[in-house]
């Protein structure tokens, strides 16, 4: 697991250099982006859980006949590489890594208050979960990050265009559509916190399952439960370190909303997206596969909203210390408790 900690301390070193020489932040951000692309793109077969499935998917891609049961880009990218005569499984994986990591790095540059802090948090959690494992979803959520400005400006055409593009990589992107209808004007702290508390309580008691409560969704519930059994997921422990961290982050963001919104118009949408990531985990906890999918889709906003804490903390040193400890905790949990990935090695 040493390789993951080396990347962590590389980013940490860049943060330390940035504190002394701020003008180097952007070059270091790009450098880290290149390192992460190579780290994900050149990993060996078996480092993560899903790469063997992608191996079969890409190698046997000859046409788009599987559409719409299979997302277009999962077939089109390897087919295009074969058409121009440069296909190999490694190149296909590298293309996905370039797309997903580049989108996140550019979004961090565009929206984050503290880009290097956002990258450290991103690497410690979502990079391993998505860019390293769920590579189609990783590209999709990267595209969806840029839909936030369309939500704020109520540009329906551009929003639909980006959601449609994201769906070419992963159909779960459609789950972001409800975010378009949230208010961009305000955030009622009392209501948001009360709802969060209620649904955390219901999630703990496992007393809510929308698929059995809402008529017409029973069939969906049966299919999801069958999938859960196939995957070995019978239930989830709703209270864990990751969920507690997300709850803590959301509470801090909501309580300090007025202070944060003075620095960015888009912050209200990003904060609500982080909130829905946290809320959906508890609301859908009776159906684990859906709870994870929806929560992780919305959670991409966290790489931006975590940078808002620099507005909350009185001193920059407090902010970076908090992010470093938080990220180190997440990385260690994901490596040793969640077992998201195995020991790192390259294909060479």
């Amino acid at each position: 697991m040493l390789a993951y900690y080396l990347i962590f301390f590389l980013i940490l070193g860049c943060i330390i250099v940035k504190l002394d020489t701020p003008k180097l932040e952007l070059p270091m951000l790009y450098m880290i982006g290149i390192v992460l692309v190579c780290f994900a793109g050149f990993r060996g077969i078996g480092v993560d859980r899903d790469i063997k499935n992608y191996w079969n998917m890409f190698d046997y891609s000859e046409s788009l006949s599987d559409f719409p049961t299979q997302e277009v880009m999962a077939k089109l990218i390897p087919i295009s590489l074969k058409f121009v005569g440069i296909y190999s499984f490694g190149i296909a994986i590298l293309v996905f890594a370039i797309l997903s990591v580049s989108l996140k790095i550019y979004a961090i540059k565009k929206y984050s208050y503290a880009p290097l802090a956002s990258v450290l948090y991103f690497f410690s959690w979502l990079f391993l979960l998505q860019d390293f494992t769920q590579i189609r979803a990783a590209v999709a959520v990267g595209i969806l990050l840029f839909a936030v400005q369309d939500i704020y400006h109520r540009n329906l055409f551009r929003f639909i265009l980006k959601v449609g593009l994201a769906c070419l990589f992963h159909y779960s992107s459609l789950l972001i559509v409800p975010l378009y209808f949230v208010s961009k004007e305000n955030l009622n702290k009392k209501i948001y916190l009360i709802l969060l508390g209620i649904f955390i309580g219901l999630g703990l008691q496992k007393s809510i399952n929308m698929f059995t409560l809402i008529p017409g969704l029973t069939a969906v519930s049966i299919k999801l439960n069958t999938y859960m059994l196939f995957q070995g997921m019978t239930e989830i422990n709703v209270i864990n370190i990751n969920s507690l961290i997300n709850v803590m982050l959301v509470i801090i963001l909501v309580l300090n909303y007025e202070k944060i919104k003075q620095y960015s118009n888009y912050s209200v949408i990003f904060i609500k997206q982080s909130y829905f990531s946290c809320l959906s985990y508890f609301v859908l906890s009776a159906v684990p596969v859906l709870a994870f999918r929806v929560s992780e889709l919305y959670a991409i906003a966290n790489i931006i909203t975590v940078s808002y804490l620099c507005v909350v903390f009185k001193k920059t040193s407090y902010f970076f210390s908090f992010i470093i400890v938080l990220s180190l905790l997440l990385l260690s949990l994901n490596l040793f408790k969640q077992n998201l990935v195995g020991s790192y090695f390259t294909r060479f």
Side-chain angles (χ1 to χ4, degrees), residues 1 15 43 71 121 150 195 234 300 322 324-325 332 336:
M1 298 299 179
I15 290 175
R43 69 191 184 276
E71 292 89 344
Y121 179 84
D150 303 319
L195 283 176
T234 55
I300 191 61
F322 179 81
I324 291 166
V325 172
S332 299
F336 297 108

Side-chain angles (χ1 to χ4, degrees), residues 142-166:
I143 295 169
L144 294 177
L145 273 171
F146 297 94
V148 167
Q149 62 191 46
D150 303 319
I151 295 172
Y152 182 82
H153 295 294
R154 288 296 183 261
N155 192 321
L156 182 59
F157 175 76
R158 289 188 177 181
F159 176 76
I160 292 175
L161 188 65
K162 288 172 184 172
V163 172
L165 182 59

Side-chain angles (χ1 to χ4, degrees), residues 8-21 25 28 32 115-121 320 323-324:
F8 180 90
F9 285 108
L10 170 65
I11 303 172
L12 177 56
C14 290
I15 290 175
I16 295 171
V17 172
K18 180 263 178 187
L19 293 175
D20 187 57
T21 315
E25 182 172 39
M28 289 190 296
I32 293 169
L116 293 178
S118 288
V119 169
L120 187 66
Y121 179 84
F320 281 109
I323 295 299
I324 291 166

Side-chain angles (χ1 to χ4, degrees), residues 40 43 48-51 53-54 57-58 71 93 96-97 100-101 104 125-142 169-170 172 227 231 233 288-289 291-299 340-341:
R43 69 191 184 276
D48 63 273
R49 300 172 182 175
D50 289 354
I51 198 166
N53 295 329
Y54 283 112
M57 182 188 300
F58 293 165
E71 292 89 344
I93 288 294
F96 273 90
S100 64
V101 174
K104 313 292 178 39
W125 179 31
L126 291 174
F127 174 79
L128 298 179
L129 176 66
Q130 296 176 346
D131 304 69
F132 226 66
T133 307
Q134 304 166 358
I135 60 175
R136 292 174 297 139
V139 179
V141 296
F169 288 92
H170 209 284
S172 65
Y227 178 82
Q231 295 291 323
M233 293 186 298
V289 63
F292 283 122
R293 179 62 67 191
V294 177
S295 179
E296 290 165 5
L297 176 77
Y298 278 88
L340 280 181
V341 292

Side-chain angles (χ1 to χ4, degrees), residues 285-310:
S285 59
V287 190
V289 63
L290 198 59
F292 283 122
R293 179 62 67 191
V294 177
S295 179
E296 290 165 5
L297 176 77
Y298 278 88
I300 191 61
N302 288 13
I303 69 174
I304 306 301
T305 56
V306 75
S307 72
Y308 296 161
L309 298 182
C310 69

